[in-house]
Amino acid sequence: MDTIQNITLKLTEHNIKPSLQRIKIYEYISKNLIHPAVDTIYEELIKEIPTLSKTTVYNTLKLFEKQNLIRSVNIDETEIRYDARKDTHGHFICTECGKIFDFNYNYNKIKINGLKEFEITQQNFNIKGICPECKNNKK
Amino acid sequence: MDTIQNITLKLTEHNIKPSLQRIKIYEYISKNLIHPAVDTIYEELIKEIPTLSKTTVYNTLKLFEKQNLIRSVNIDETEIRYDARKDTHGHFICTECGKIFDFNYNYNKIKINGLKEFEITQQNFNIKGICPECKNNKK
DNA sequence: TCCATATTTGTAATAATTACAATTTTATAA
DNA sequence: TTATAAAATTGTAATTATTACAAATATGGA
């Protein structure tokens, strides 16, 4: 469970000082696995922290990503989305409703040609298309 | 070869009327497989077409993508890149030098869980890391 | 040639992100 | 406890990619 205590510990483990803002931002991302954009996070948290600045959200997310606590998902052309899931998985975005779905894939089975000697630090597997629900609505 | 005649034909096949601007923009992307951004394309072509407008470049690339002639690559956080290659391949971006490298992968061999009933129209497999050259320079 | 339509152009607007300086908070040592 | 330095947060202004839109230009058919 992601209790406040656990979040504090997790931040500390990643060399991030656990301020209220940081705890709340991480809590939101880890409890809402909807790959939120900066603005979504900001709009939700301003309700709890009325003095919150959007710059803080930007700074904090950058810090989290640098410290390898979260990852950014650039599946949306207009804004960066964030994800607290750290295991290897891809993202499907529905071009009708805009919803993002996670999918699992087996990275080891992919035969990648042309990447010998390349050091991999991050991977994004993004697929676009139409989700089952929107497909049904179209009929 | 991508002669002007071939480009004209290719545009026509994709239901795109071959204007000078369109031909030149497609020629640039297909001859320079560097995944150029809008600005790069514009800066190069303004030399040949002094009246060229950046809006035209934007409009044209959007049209090309809609007509399935090229694909967009959202590997760069700040700007959209474009690619004339249509076969399945992924992109590796070096976080040191910013260069983008193509790699091949076998999509059919990937075991994807959670995408039954999803209609796939586009896929982007992006990997970030350090290229061999930059790795050597760091030592 | 004339006219309708498509394309291109230029400018202004929009929106995500960053820069930066001021303010506030936190941690520490006297 | 108090003074002080460092870190974090905030708010505003600047930057930049992209889009909206209307005017100008080019194209093709009657």
Side-chain angles (χ1 to χ4, degrees):
Chain A
M1 274 294 105
D2 273 338
T3 62
I4 301 297
Q5 287 77 22
N6 285 343
I7 292 172
T8 302
L9 183 63
K10 200 171 248 185
L11 293 177
T12 307
E13 279 170 358
H14 285 81
N15 287 313
I16 299 162
K17 277 198 192 138
S19 69
L20 171 70
Q21 287 84 342
R22 289 170 176 177
I23 290 170
K24 284 292 175 188
I25 290 171
Y26 183 74
E27 187 187 30
Y28 182 80
I29 306 178
S30 64
K31 288 196 175 155
N32 300 278
L33 296 173
I34 56 169
H35 320 86
V38 171
D39 205 60
T40 310
I41 299 168
Y42 174 74
E43 290 301 337
E44 273 308 307
L45 294 185
I46 192 89
K47 295 171 189 169
E48 286 186 70
I49 312 170
T51 60
L52 184 67
S53 162
K54 205 180 270 188
T55 303
T56 300
V57 182
Y58 274 104
N59 290 342
T60 303
L61 293 169
K62 276 239 151 127
L63 176 67
F64 284 0
E65 193 181 13
K66 188 178 148 229
Q67 298 301 90
N68 215 32
L69 179 63
I70 63 172
R71 60 182 277 203
S72 62
V73 182
N74 57 336
I75 195 169
D76 189 307
E77 263 99 40
T78 57
E79 54 191 0
I80 302 176
R81 306 287 212 107
Y82 288 92
D83 195 343
R85 271 187 69 185
K86 291 299 298 300
D87 60 314
T88 300
H89 68 282
H91 296 106
F92 177 99
I93 187 168
C94 175
T95 50
E96 294 290 320
C97 64
K99 221 180 283 170
I100 297 178
F101 303 82
D102 288 1
F103 65 84
N104 295 312
Y105 65 94
N106 193 334
Y107 179 67
N108 298 323
K109 290 240 175 80
I110 306 175
K111 203 176 150 190
I112 291 184
N113 295 313
L115 285 191
K116 283 169 226 154
E117 307 288 333
F118 284 74
E119 188 182 319
I120 294 174
T121 55
Q122 211 185 106
Q123 48 177 303
N124 263 282
F125 196 175
N126 301 328
I127 295 183
K128 277 188 192 175
I130 301 172
C131 74
E133 199 181 339
C134 288
K135 234 169 71 184
N136 277 330
N137 290 343
K138 273 189 148 182
K139 281 175 195 164
Chain B
M1 270 299 103
D2 273 337
T3 62
I4 300 296
Q5 287 76 22
N6 285 343
I7 291 172
T8 302
L9 183 62
K10 199 171 252 187
L11 293 178
T12 307
E13 280 170 357
H14 284 82
N15 287 315
I16 300 162
K17 277 199 190 135
S19 69
L20 171 69
Q21 287 86 340
R22 289 168 176 179
I23 290 170
K24 285 293 175 186
I25 289 171
Y26 184 74
E27 186 186 32
Y28 182 80
I29 306 178
S30 64
K31 289 196 173 153
N32 299 278
L33 296 172
I34 55 168
H35 320 86
V38 171
D39 204 60
T40 309
I41 299 168
Y42 173 75
E43 291 299 337
E44 273 308 306
L45 293 184
I46 191 92
K47 295 171 187 167
E48 286 185 69
I49 312 169
T51 61
L52 184 66
S53 162
K54 204 178 271 187
T55 302
T56 300
V57 182
Y58 273 102
N59 290 341
T60 304
L61 293 169
K62 276 238 151 129
L63 177 67
F64 285 0
E65 193 181 12
K66 188 178 147 228
Q67 298 302 90
N68 215 31
L69 179 62
I70 63 172
R71 60 182 276 204
S72 63
V73 182
N74 57 337
I75 193 166
D76 190 307
E77 264 100 40
T78 58
E79 55 191 0
I80 302 175
R81 307 286 212 107
Y82 287 93
D83 195 344
R85 273 187 67 185
K86 290 298 299 300
D87 60 314
T88 299
H89 68 281
H91 297 106
F92 177 99
I93 187 167
C94 176
T95 49
E96 294 289 319
C97 65
K99 221 180 283 169
I100 296 177
F101 302 83
D102 288 0
F103 65 84
N104 296 313
Y105 65 93
N106 192 332
Y107 178 68
N108 296 324
K109 288 243 174 82
I110 305 175
K111 204 177 151 191
I112 289 182
N113 294 314
L115 285 192
K116 283 169 228 154
E117 309 289 334
F118 284 71
E119 189 180 320
I120 294 175
T121 55
Q122 212 185 102
Q123 49 178 300
N124 263 282
F125 196 176
N126 301 329
I127 295 183
K128 277 189 190 174
I130 302 172
C131 74
E133 200 181 337
C134 288
K135 234 169 70 183
N136 278 329
N137 290 343
K138 274 190 146 182
K139 282 173 192 165

